[in-house]
Amino acid sequence: PNGVDTRYFYPASPDPAARLSKDRLTLFTLLRDDPQAGTVLAAKVLQRVKTTIPGIRIITVGNLSSHPPFDTLVEEAIPSASRREMRDIYRRSDIFVDFSMVQGFGLMGLEAMASGVAAVLSATGGAEEYASSACAVLVPPGSEDGFVDAIMDLASNPRKIADLKTEGLRTAAAFDWRKRIDGHADFFESLLSKNNEITSEHREHMLRYLFGRLLRGLMTRSSVTEAQNHLNHALESSCP
């Protein structure tokens, strides 16, 4: 399982009930030129939502953000965004929507939760590994009505948005990468310890290699040093 850096992704306000957009609801989603990303579905859903709630602010990131029909629906179209820019976008959004038809771990949903954003996610792939009805709205993949109903329900229910934010923060905390590192250390150690021919020195070398590969995909650059220190401590505790 993957994890999220909650020291990098965190809410703009400590109060989950705080509405960053005040009188305007802000929705954020990703638009990629990928059949599995649910872009056609996103176009249909956002058109219906915009018709019903003309004042909603829609922010999109991705190479299709300024293409029709999104050019007439989206208020802020961003072709690409750095990790820091993504963090800022999360923190000024009320709702994050992932329209993906197929998903790996679905890290963006977890980043949104860590940033204090109510998440509407496709009930597919890795998102179901961390998301539940308590911390997110899970919609059957490809369900146009399901996504429209979920967004409309949140738009008319600020209390539900606040509740999802609160539970989302708890979920993100449980999936903080520091805790995941400890879990991975225990898992890898349990596998390697079953082979009596592996020496303690070789086992530590293998653990460092496995975690090096893991950290490159999991960490932001600014947190690699801290992650390595945490890993060293975990290895010292698990390797005799």
Side-chain angles (χ1 to χ4, degrees), residues 171-184:
T171 298
F175 279 81
D176 181 271
W177 61 257
R178 296 160 189 82
K179 296 179 181 178
R180 310 310 279 176
I181 283 178
D182 291 336
H184 276 87

Side-chain angles (χ1 to χ4, degrees), residues 94-159:
D94 296 297
I95 301 171
F96 169 73
V97 184
D98 188 342
F99 292 102
S100 298
M101 307 298 286
V102 177
Q103 189 65 271
F105 181 72
L107 184 57
M108 287 188 68
L110 201 54
E111 290 174 348
M113 291 181 188
S115 303
V117 183
V120 178
L121 310 173
S122 288
T124 180
E128 293 184 293
E129 187 174 318
Y130 61 82
S132 68
S133 58
C135 65
V137 180
L138 296 172
V139 180
S143 175
E144 179 182 338
D145 288 341
F147 276 101
V148 171
D149 290 345
I151 295 169
M152 296 303 298
D153 179 50
L154 291 179
S156 62
N157 194 341
R159 182 69 257 171

Side-chain angles (χ1 to χ4, degrees), residues 12-219:
S13 170
D15 178 12
R19 283 289 301 280
L20 305 183
S21 53
K22 305 301 180 184
D23 59 330
R24 294 188 66 195
L25 193 73
T26 299
L27 182 151
F28 167 44
T29 191
L30 196 69
L31 296 177
R32 302 192 310 272
D33 188 10
D34 179 349
Q36 304 299 335
T39 305
V40 174
L41 172 66
K44 295 177 181 178
V45 171
L46 295 181
Q47 284 177 321
R48 289 175 60 182
V49 169
K50 190 71 172 178
T51 298
T52 307
I53 315 175
I56 191 170
R57 177 189 291 109
I58 299 176
I59 302 174
T60 60
V61 171
N63 56 357
L64 294 182
S65 293
S66 59
H67 291 211
F70 302 109
D71 56 338
T72 61
L73 300 172
V74 175
E75 184 165 321
E76 191 172 341
I78 305 169
S80 63
S82 67
R83 196 169 184 81
R84 176 173 293 183
E85 289 169 334
M86 289 292 289
R87 178 181 64 179
D88 293 340
I89 294 169
Y90 284 130
R91 297 178 73 200
R92 53 194 178 91
S93 300
D94 296 297
I95 301 171
F96 169 73
V97 184
D98 188 342
F99 292 102
S100 298
M101 307 298 286
V102 177
Q103 189 65 271
F105 181 72
L107 184 57
M108 287 188 68
L110 201 54
E111 290 174 348
M113 291 181 188
S115 303
V117 183
V120 178
L121 310 173
S122 288
T124 180
E128 293 184 293
E129 187 174 318
Y130 61 82
S132 68
S133 58
C135 65
V137 180
L138 296 172
V139 180
S143 175
E144 179 182 338
D145 288 341
F147 276 101
V148 171
D149 290 345
I151 295 169
M152 296 303 298
D153 179 50
L154 291 179
S156 62
N157 194 341
R159 182 69 257 171
K160 186 170 183 177
I161 289 180
D163 290 343
L164 288 177
K165 288 182 177 182
T166 299
E167 291 303 319
L169 288 170
R170 290 174 182 164
T171 298
F175 279 81
D176 181 271
W177 61 257
R178 296 160 189 82
K179 296 179 181 178
R180 310 310 279 176
I181 283 178
D182 291 336
H184 276 87
D186 292 340
F187 175 70
F188 289 149
E189 168 65 15
S190 68
L191 290 180
L192 295 176
S193 64
K194 293 178 181 179
N195 190 331
N196 295 327
E197 296 180 2
I198 299 178
T199 65
S200 175
E201 182 179 357
H202 191 202
R203 182 163 66 248
E204 181 172 344
H205 174 76
M206 294 180 69
L207 283 170
R208 289 185 185 279
Y209 171 77
L210 290 170
F211 269 95
R213 297 295 299 272
L214 173 69
L215 293 176
R216 278 195 290 274
L218 185 60
M219 302 295 100

